[in-house]
Amino acid sequence: QVQLVESGGGLVQAGGSLRLSCTASGATFNNYAMGWFRQAPGKNREFVAAIVWSTGPTYYAESVKGRSTISRDDAKSTVYLQIDSLKPEDTAVYYCADRPLGVSGNYYSSNSYLHWGQGTQVTVSS
């Protein structure tokens, strides 16, 4: 079965950077677009970023646009999320998810994603 495993979370000071990774197994990686979502305590899960092909296109939430980069390495079945200039409001559990190519709907909605990882905690201290 498909498995997504995130890593790279941790505790970082405001203004710092993190690079999250998500490695997939059990499916043909390049048959899926990949997305990152996050969920802070007491809040709904929200979209962060998505990437269709290794050459793009990419999509970002306004809250991280300009200070984050999503990328993928199909040879490693891995998607990355680099976030710079971290803020305390970036504190959340970050999840990766896959979305079969050809599925209708926009990339910002979690409903269009099929498989989810277990999440990795990111905590930004002020």
Side-chain angles (χ1 to χ4, degrees):
Q1 70 276 20
V2 176
Q3 189 174 19
L4 303 176
V5 180
E6 301 97 335
S7 60
L11 174 64
V12 63
Q13 288 189 333
S17 299
L18 274 179
R19 188 194 196 203
L20 306 181
S21 301
C22 170
T23 299
S25 60
T28 302
F29 187 68
N30 57 12
N31 285 347
Y32 295 84
M34 299 299 296
W36 285 95
F37 291 76
R38 67 186 183 186
Q39 187 167 18
K43 296 188 176 181
N44 293 329
R45 188 172 298 187
E46 64 175 9
F47 171 80
V48 178
I51 185 167
V52 182
W53 307 102
S54 59
T55 53
T58 57
Y59 306 88
Y60 295 94
E62 286 298 322
S63 58
V64 300
K65 191 176 292 185
R67 62 187 182 92
S68 67
T69 303
I70 187 171
S71 60
R72 61 188 291 165
D73 185 338
D74 290 347
K76 295 181 178 180
S77 297
T78 299
V79 60
Y80 305 97
L81 179 68
Q82 172 86 23
I83 308 180
D84 302 316
S85 303
L86 281 159
K87 307 174 182 180
E89 51 264 43
D90 292 319
T91 295
V93 177
Y94 284 70
Y95 300 89
C96 71
D98 64 19
R99 184 180 188 273
L101 297 176
V103 168
S104 61
N106 67 65
Y107 287 91
Y108 302 89
S109 172
S110 62
N111 293 335
S112 62
Y113 290 80
L114 187 59
H115 304 105
W116 293 80
Q118 83 289 346
T120 185
Q121 175 71 48
V122 172
T123 303
V124 183
S125 63
S126 57

